[in-house]
Amino acid sequence: MRTARNTADLRQSLVAWRGAGETVALVPTMGALHAGHLSLARIARARCERVVASLFVNPAQFSPGEDLAAYPRDEAGDSRLFAEAGVDVLFAPGADDIYPPGFATRVSVSGLTECLCGPLRPGHFDGVATVVSKLLVLIQPDVAVFGEKDYQQLLVIRRLAADLGLAAEIVGAPTVREEDGLALSSRNAYLGAQERTAAPALHRTIAGIADALVGGDAEAAPLCEAGRADLLAAGFSGVDYLELRHAETLAPLARADAPSRVFTAAHLGRARLIDNVPVAAV
Ligand code: PAF
């Protein structure tokens, strides 16, 4: 695996691959890799002849007061794991390469960003949409792979790719979980031992609600209200949201009588954890 530190360097590989008629997949990451990221790399590997993984802790997607400075960083370890996963080029640019002096463009997706994490993390989705647009335009991959754990992000990226006429197929990859159900996340590193014991309540709660909603007859609101109470009883200090929403538009739903998912974000110690699960269709 080769590491490209800037766009000019990355272009050399891209030109050679395209010249040879090879297909290219992109796996965008902010590093601090776990098995979830590696599953994205494996999907990319299976879909295309060449794989680029990007590693860029994107300052633009951290809201004021969030954990940009503390965000876990381990480029040497990440590099080893990406190489083992069959990545051809690791694109690890500096901030000046992504946001050169005078950078003044922002990609903003309306609608999908106005609920769930959007209002709670001002500027976050604009930061994600801008950096992902830049990567998609620069690399022009055939396929780009994103995890379903960040499901709202996945929908935002699908929307921007369609709206901007970008050719990449945006592939969603299933959430990878610990045996006790906790979704893998770089931010799980913030959990202390006691918090780690409480953390699986998040998935257990939304999975239970999703089960109760199958068939489309049950009311979501009382189940979500009880779920909030369960999370607080399990040791979470606050629940930002626990809601049933349409799986494609994110419109709120009273019952699971359309393709839907249960979404949550909640605070446990220093960590803000998010998760979501589909309500199975009958
Ligand atoms: O999901 C992430 O790790 C980031 O939001 C992404 C897509 C790499 C953009 O910085």
Side-chain angles (χ1 to χ4, degrees), residues 52-233:
V52 177
S54 63
L55 193 177
F56 180 62
V57 182
N58 175 31
Q61 70 186 76
F62 288 77
S63 305
E66 286 191 349
D67 55 346
L68 173 60
Y71 197 80
R73 288 166 169 86
D74 176 15
E75 188 184 317
D78 291 346
S79 200
R80 234 180 358 260
L81 291 171
F82 272 140
E84 283 165 20
V87 168
D88 294 287
V89 170
L90 174 61
F91 178 46
D96 272 11
D97 203 60
I98 297 294
Y99 302 118
F103 189 90
T105 298
R106 192 174 59 162
V107 178
S108 189
V109 176
S110 59
L112 290 168
T113 60
E114 285 154 23
C115 61
L116 301 177
C117 284
L120 296 158
R121 303 188 67 192
H124 169 69
F125 285 117
D126 284 5
V128 170
T130 303
V131 80
V132 171
S133 300
K134 179 135 193 182
L135 292 169
L136 292 175
V137 167
L138 172 70
I139 297 167
Q140 298 191 23
D142 299 277
V143 163
V145 193
F146 299 85
E148 285 184 349
K149 186 182 82 70
D150 297 302
Y151 194 86
Q152 188 175 14
Q153 167 176 283
L154 172 64
L155 292 184
V156 167
I157 291 166
R158 283 213 172 110
R159 185 73 263 155
L160 75 83
D163 290 355
L164 299 177
L166 303 174
E169 180 191 347
I170 307 300
V171 173
T175 302
V176 178
R177 299 181 181 281
E178 303 280 7
E179 268 185 21
D180 59 14
L182 177 65
L184 297 192
S185 163
S186 307
R187 290 186 167 103
N188 291 352
Y190 298 153
L191 297 171
Q194 215 177 332
E195 292 151 3
R196 178 62 190 83
T197 310
L202 197 66
H203 175 249
R204 199 166 54 242
T205 299
I206 56 173
I209 294 172
D211 282 350
L213 289 168
V214 171
D217 292 329
E219 289 280 342
L223 292 166
C224 291
E225 208 39 57
R228 276 176 177 264
D230 290 346
L231 289 176
L232 296 175

Side-chain angles (χ1 to χ4, degrees), residues 7 35 43 80 137 162 216 227 233 239 251 281:
T7 49
I43 291 170
R80 234 180 358 260
V137 167
V239 181

